[in-house]
Amino acid sequence: MAQHLSRKRAMAGLLGAAALTAGAIATGLTVPTASAATWPTPSGTPQAVTKTIPVSGSYDGGMKRFYGSGDLGTGGQDEDQGPLFELKDGATLKNVILGSPAADGVHCLGSCTLQNVWWEDVGEDAATFKGSSSSAVYTINGGGAKEASDKVFQFNGAGTLNINNFAVKNFGTFVRSCGNCRTQYKRTINVNTLEATYKGSRIAGINTNYGDSVTLRRITIVGDTSKKIIPCQKYLGNNTGAEPTTNGSGPDGTYCKYSSSDITYK
């Protein structure tokens, strides 16, 4: 199902996302500003979602707020919840606000693009990436997420995840390579231009024993005066379901690819 905005309405969606310090706008361009992220105001009547919305091709939400109801009416951390949106391989979801409750947010079954998507109150996860091909590419351009008690983005599948011009606030781990999935893969993560506002625990978590890597560029951390947020946490993942053990943190040029100049504190 595809929805189309008028030219005027589409520009309103872009402007609502343009005030990110991280430069998040719907087109994914970088527009530096001096102020913190401005979260968009939903348009139209909020839409209750009682059954997962499947997306093939492109779905434009027109900056409407979608929230879970019925079986999807939970914002907890229970595993195996259904998502509000499920994207087929190659699909695009854009100009959408996920309200509360958000269930398990968005699932990508293969390569996908999330453009100007905002989570007001993350449920289990904001989005989960599940493709099995090493050539799968998951792209996030613009948007933001907040109130994620655990993870924001869960990378369960294979391939490469690119996150550009995003804002996150009050979170556990911003992006996590699955530490104990039954099927494990080598995963590549690139984060370019992120505004992370404390409280938070980790920007990225990766599994060194599966060859994961994360590249961090233009990361701005706001309000973390004690520098408690770990930019890159390394783990020893497993496929048994056990809780993974940590394996150090910090830049190393192989798994955690960044330098001190890539992290700015405000």
Side-chain angles (χ1 to χ4, degrees):
M1 175 180 179
Q3 297 182 3
H4 302 281
L5 290 173
S6 68
R7 188 179 187 88
K8 181 177 179 182
R9 198 172 175 194
M11 284 303 298
L14 295 181
L15 292 172
L20 288 179
T21 296
I25 64 174
T27 59
L29 298 176
T30 298
V31 181
T33 65
S35 61
T38 298
W39 297 76
T41 300
S43 65
T45 303
Q47 180 174 328
V49 180
T50 59
K51 184 178 180 181
T52 298
I53 299 172
V55 178
S56 297
S58 182
Y59 186 105
D60 191 328
M63 298 308 292
K64 181 185 292 186
R65 175 189 282 132
F66 297 80
Y67 64 94
S69 183
D71 290 343
L72 296 177
T74 177
Q77 292 297 311
D78 295 337
E79 298 292 336
D80 301 319
Q81 292 182 66
L84 298 188
F85 292 90
E86 183 178 78
L87 277 58
K88 307 299 183 184
D89 187 23
T92 295
L93 179 68
K94 59 184 178 180
N95 300 324
V96 165
I97 298 173
L98 278 71
S100 179
D104 201 27
V106 178
H107 286 184
C108 284
L109 303 184
S111 296
C112 68
T113 299
L114 305 180
Q115 181 176 318
N116 199 33
V117 177
W118 299 78
W119 290 262
E120 295 178 327
D121 190 344
V122 174
E124 183 183 353
D125 300 308
T128 303
F129 306 98
K130 308 176 76 171
S132 59
S133 171
S134 61
S135 61
V137 177
Y138 320 91
T139 302
I140 300 170
N141 283 328
K146 54 186 175 180
E147 311 307 331
S149 59
D150 190 7
K151 299 174 297 295
V152 177
F153 295 124
Q154 176 72 30
F155 195 176
N156 289 352
T160 299
L161 171 59
N162 299 314
I163 305 172
N164 308 299
N165 304 317
F166 202 83
V168 64
K169 181 178 182 180
N170 295 341
F171 61 100
T173 298
F174 175 60
V175 57
R176 177 70 169 100
S177 177
C178 183
N180 54 13
C181 284
R182 181 171 298 179
T183 302
Q184 290 284 25
Y185 306 95
K186 176 182 178 180
R187 304 177 177 102
T188 300
I189 302 170
N190 300 301
V191 183
N192 184 2
T193 313
L194 172 72
E195 178 190 276
T197 301
Y198 191 76
K199 295 182 176 178
S201 296
R202 292 162 289 274
I203 300 297
I206 56 171
N207 306 312
T208 58
N209 55 320
Y210 292 119
D212 295 351
S213 67
V214 60
T215 300
L216 302 177
R217 297 288 183 266
R218 297 186 66 180
I219 309 301
T220 300
I221 298 178
V222 180
D224 184 14
T225 55
S226 299
K227 297 185 178 181
K228 293 182 178 180
I229 296 176
I230 299 171
C232 182
Q233 178 68 63
K234 291 173 272 192
Y235 294 89
L236 294 175
N238 64 75
N239 61 1
T240 66
E243 193 66 24
T245 58
T246 57
N247 190 34
S249 63
D252 55 27
T254 301
Y255 306 108
C256 296
K257 300 179 180 181
Y258 69 97
S259 64
S260 59
S261 63
D262 293 306
I263 313 293
T264 299
Y265 291 88
K266 292 186 175 181

